[in-house]
Amino acid sequence: MNQQDSPDQPKIRPWWQSIPLTLQIIIALVLAVALGIALGAGNPSPANKAFIETLAIPAELVLKALRALATPLILMAVLHTFMTTVIPGRAGRRLAVLLLTNTTVAIVVGLFVANVLRPGTWGRLAAPETTEIVKQNFDPWGLFKDAVPSAILKPLVDNNVIQLIVLALTFGIVLRAIKSEQIAANKRGFQAIEDAIAILFEAIIRVLHWVIATVPLAVFGIVSKTVAEKGFEPFKSLGAFVIAVVLALVLQACYYLLRVQFGSWVNPIDFLRGGTDAFLTAFSTDSSVATMPVTFEVLQQKIGVRESSASLGALVGSNFNNDGTALYEAMSALFISQVLGQNLSLVQQLIVILTSIFASVGAAGIPEAGLVTMTLVFSSVGLPTEYIALLVTVDWFLDRCRTVINVMGDMTVSALIDGKKPQSVTSDQ
């Protein structure tokens, strides 16, 4: 065998892959601003019009790829979670209630802050000529009927997240029941389906990694085009948006501490002090999954919750708990509608709440999950997904902030499941 073909020989990675994605995006931002200024910074030359238009092509392609991957990714994520996660019955029901409550509160907090601060009114963008926000009247029966797809593959084609989640939950519950029945009967027929789902999920994740790798190029294109055509006016809103999102995340953190104070034996100060390592790891790695071992350890060693409680919150709950991501998606939808001067109605905001909850299910292991599932949230209320590319310019920072909240939510769930009596008290009885 040729030495170059040896499987033991480490693969040589391209030099650009050694640069963190965050740094790549920052470099792209700097270069994009410089090019935008060179092309006119709000007063472009007519001779450069064609070139400026082509700058947006990478962002358009990335968004098309994300839209294409979003629905199969969520479907496989939910199915994979149902097939591989072990949740005890009574504790599982309590876990589900806690996760649903926390996520709903996070979205409501995000929408409240966005409605009060109205960060999108700090600057204006012209709406795309071919895309308008679809006006929707309140029709609960119509929403209920629309939740059932007319064909199995229709939700995947239409990017209908509610139909998709109904489909995923239905098959997930059925497949999980079949797996339990076969395990009880000492059969292994379910293993082939479980392996197929795992392989498909991994394949979609790998393709998604390829798409995410091109995000700096998309950022460069859309920012340089925006600066060249409109100057820096559109980015005033982004500054307000960052402030609004960080404020909403802080309020969500305060909600967690109140839940810990009144719903568990853990002292909120000890909760914050003990969880410092997990919070710092979450911010630095930008991944709640990568932080999972640290979260599990600090819950037991530094905060003192039982192993079973830590396992349910940090290991099981993290597959469903994405409060920070759901909050961010809801705020993004309202922000863009404000920027376009076409505010979402109360009914549309309700649809955003439902879609954000469903889209966040099983998204913990998905890279750039908020960016991927945001296409579904925007589509649910007819918002133009083209403007998601602008949000990418600040997403690298906000993603780290909301990952901290996701981890804090996992720890809160563990503390609440642990109850109001510490482990030493229970063990003495």
Side-chain angles (χ1 to χ4, degrees), residues 286-356:
D286 191 21
S287 170
S288 56
V289 172
T291 311
M292 195 183 297
V294 180
T295 307
F296 186 61
E297 180 180 359
V298 299
L299 280 169
Q300 296 180 82
Q301 303 298 327
K302 295 189 176 183
I303 297 178
V305 303
R306 300 168 183 80
E307 181 181 355
S308 58
S309 303
S311 176
L312 278 176
L315 304 182
V316 178
S318 63
N319 288 294
F320 302 92
N321 185 49
N322 296 280
D323 301 340
T325 301
L327 178 151
Y328 174 73
E329 291 172 348
M331 290 192 72
S332 298
L334 195 56
F335 167 72
I336 291 299
S337 72
Q338 293 171 354
V339 168
L340 299 177
Q342 303 177 12
N343 296 319
L344 296 180
S345 66
L346 186 60
V347 174
Q348 289 174 313
Q349 291 188 39
L350 176 61
I351 295 174
V352 167
I353 291 175
L354 294 174
T355 308
S356 298

Side-chain angles (χ1 to χ4, degrees), residues 206-234:
R206 291 196 183 189
V207 174
L208 180 60
H209 276 296
W210 296 348
V211 177
I212 296 300
T214 64
V215 163
L217 184 61
V219 170
F220 172 79
I222 195 66
V223 172
S224 57
K225 178 179 183 293
T226 303
V227 173
E229 290 183 340
K230 299 178 174 60
F232 293 96
E233 178 65 24

Side-chain angles (χ1 to χ4, degrees), residues 13-272:
R13 300 173 61 190
W15 62 270
W16 62 83
Q17 290 187 6
S18 61
I19 304 176
L21 182 63
T22 300
L23 183 57
Q24 292 183 41
I25 292 176
I26 294 175
I27 294 172
L29 279 172
V30 173
L31 296 177
V33 170
L35 179 59
I37 294 174
L39 291 174
N43 189 24
S45 169
N48 295 327
K49 183 178 180 180
F51 173 69
I52 293 174
E53 290 296 327
T54 60
L55 290 173
I57 292 178
E60 294 172 358
L61 293 176
V62 167
L63 288 175
K64 285 178 66 177
L66 290 177
R67 282 196 297 267
L69 289 171
T71 44
L73 186 60
I74 295 298
L75 176 62
M76 288 298 111
V78 172
L79 292 179
H80 184 261
T81 300
F82 266 94
M83 291 295 288
T84 58
T85 304
V86 179
I87 306 177
R90 185 176 179 182
R93 288 190 293 271
R94 189 181 179 195
L95 175 66
V97 171
L98 288 173
L99 296 178
L100 180 61
T101 302
N102 288 350
T103 302
T104 303
V105 169
I107 297 170
V108 171
V109 166
L111 291 178
F112 172 77
V113 172
N115 277 294
V116 171
L117 296 185
R118 298 182 60 79
T121 60
W122 288 35
R124 293 285 181 180
L125 287 177
E129 297 178 359
T130 57
T131 309
E132 295 181 355
I133 296 179
V134 179
K135 301 296 182 183
Q136 300 183 12
N137 297 321
F138 183 62
D139 183 11
W141 180 241
L143 292 175
F144 180 75
K145 291 192 297 183
D146 187 59
V148 180
S150 58
I152 292 294
L153 298 180
K154 197 172 187 295
L156 296 172
V157 177
D158 295 343
N159 280 348
N160 189 315
V161 67
I162 295 180
Q163 292 183 355
L164 178 71
I165 293 299
V166 169
L167 190 69
L169 290 178
T170 301
F171 278 95
I173 293 171
V174 170
L175 288 174
R176 181 56 182 259
I178 293 175
K179 176 180 178 179
S180 300
E181 292 170 1
Q182 291 197 350
I183 290 177
N186 200 24
K187 297 180 180 179
R188 302 291 297 178
F190 68 89
Q191 193 64 54
I193 297 296
E194 184 174 323
D195 291 343
I197 291 174
I199 291 173
L200 286 173
F201 184 48
E202 176 64 23
I204 298 173
I205 289 291
R206 291 196 183 189
V207 174
L208 180 60
H209 276 296
W210 296 348
V211 177
I212 296 300
T214 64
V215 163
L217 184 61
V219 170
F220 172 79
I222 195 66
V223 172
S224 57
K225 178 179 183 293
T226 303
V227 173
E229 290 183 340
K230 299 178 174 60
F232 293 96
E233 178 65 24
F235 297 99
K236 293 181 181 179
S237 291
L238 286 177
F241 177 64
V242 171
I243 294 173
V245 172
V246 171
L247 175 60
L249 292 175
V250 170
L251 291 177
Q252 181 68 11
C254 292
Y255 164 77
Y256 288 147
L257 294 178
L258 287 174
R259 291 297 306 271
V260 170
Q261 172 69 42
F262 296 106
S264 76
W265 63 268
V266 179
N267 183 285
I269 302 300
D270 295 336
F271 179 85
L272 288 176

Side-chain angles (χ1 to χ4, degrees), residues 1-20:
M1 179 183 292
N2 192 309
Q3 184 176 2
Q4 293 180 347
D5 298 331
S6 174
D8 297 331
Q9 186 176 0
K11 296 182 180 179
I12 301 177
R13 300 173 61 190
W15 62 270
W16 62 83
Q17 290 187 6
S18 61
I19 304 176

